[in-house]
Amino acid sequence: MQLTSTKNGTILDEIIENASELPLESQDWLLMMAKSMRYTRDCIVSKNEAEPPVTSHRVST
């Protein structure tokens, strides 16, 4: 399943809006998790952009 950046932004906005109802300790934890998720996504995206597309090579026998 792939989410567009617009949908990701909407989900993130919803999480942040609802976080205000949580205790401060939970808000800190949620922010840490969101930053970790963003970092992981950025690493995966940059890795995919750095790799050339995979092409299948068929060998005739």
Side-chain angles (χ1 to χ4, degrees):
M1 181 170 102
Q2 292 181 337
L3 298 175
T4 63
S5 60
T6 304
K7 181 147 178 134
N8 287 339
T10 304
I11 293 170
L12 182 58
D13 291 339
E14 185 176 338
I15 290 170
I16 291 170
E17 286 175 17
N18 291 321
S20 65
E21 300 171 10
L22 297 171
L24 187 56
E25 182 179 304
S26 297
Q27 290 180 25
D28 288 340
W29 180 84
L30 186 62
L31 179 59
M32 179 187 65
M33 293 301 296
K35 287 180 179 180
S36 299
M37 292 168 66
R38 181 179 62 190
Y39 176 78
T40 302
R41 182 196 66 212
D42 291 346
C43 288
I44 292 170
V45 168
S46 65
K47 180 182 177 199
N48 286 340
E49 289 174 353
E51 293 179 354
V54 176
T55 57
S56 60
H57 297 287
R58 293 188 178 209
V59 177
S60 300
T61 57

